[in-house]
Amino acid sequence: MHETYSEPWHGTAETLVADALGQKCSILVAADRRENLLGFLAFGPSYDLHHCTSGGEALDLYVIPRLRGRGIA
């Protein structure tokens, strides 16, 4: 949040888990073999009226700065 908006995150982990995860959005995590976090993608369900198919809409995407440009996203 700070990198993009110059503000701290205004949520809490507890609120995110209770209100969103698995219900309003999902999060995929990228990690290395030692389970170090490399980045994440948050997405929500969507529907394409033109092709009558379900899909997803990216809500947020983050890769740690030192690993950007390496295809992790």
Side-chain angles (χ1 to χ4, degrees):
M1 293 294 288
H2 192 277
E3 181 180 38
T4 302
Y5 302 108
S6 298
E7 292 186 15
W9 183 42
H10 298 290
T12 66
E14 293 80 15
T15 302
L16 183 61
V17 170
D19 290 350
L21 296 183
Q23 297 174 43
K24 297 179 184 175
C25 72
S26 297
I27 294 180
L28 296 176
V29 174
D32 65 15
R33 293 180 185 188
R34 294 182 180 166
E35 298 186 4
N36 296 308
L37 179 65
L38 306 178
F40 70 87
L41 167 68
F43 64 97
S46 68
Y47 189 79
D48 182 339
L49 293 174
H50 298 275
H51 299 95
C52 297
T53 186
S54 296
E57 179 178 7
L59 304 172
D60 204 348
L61 172 66
Y62 179 80
V63 175
I64 59 175
R66 67 180 175 82
L67 296 175
R68 292 177 185 166
R70 298 184 182 193
I72 291 172

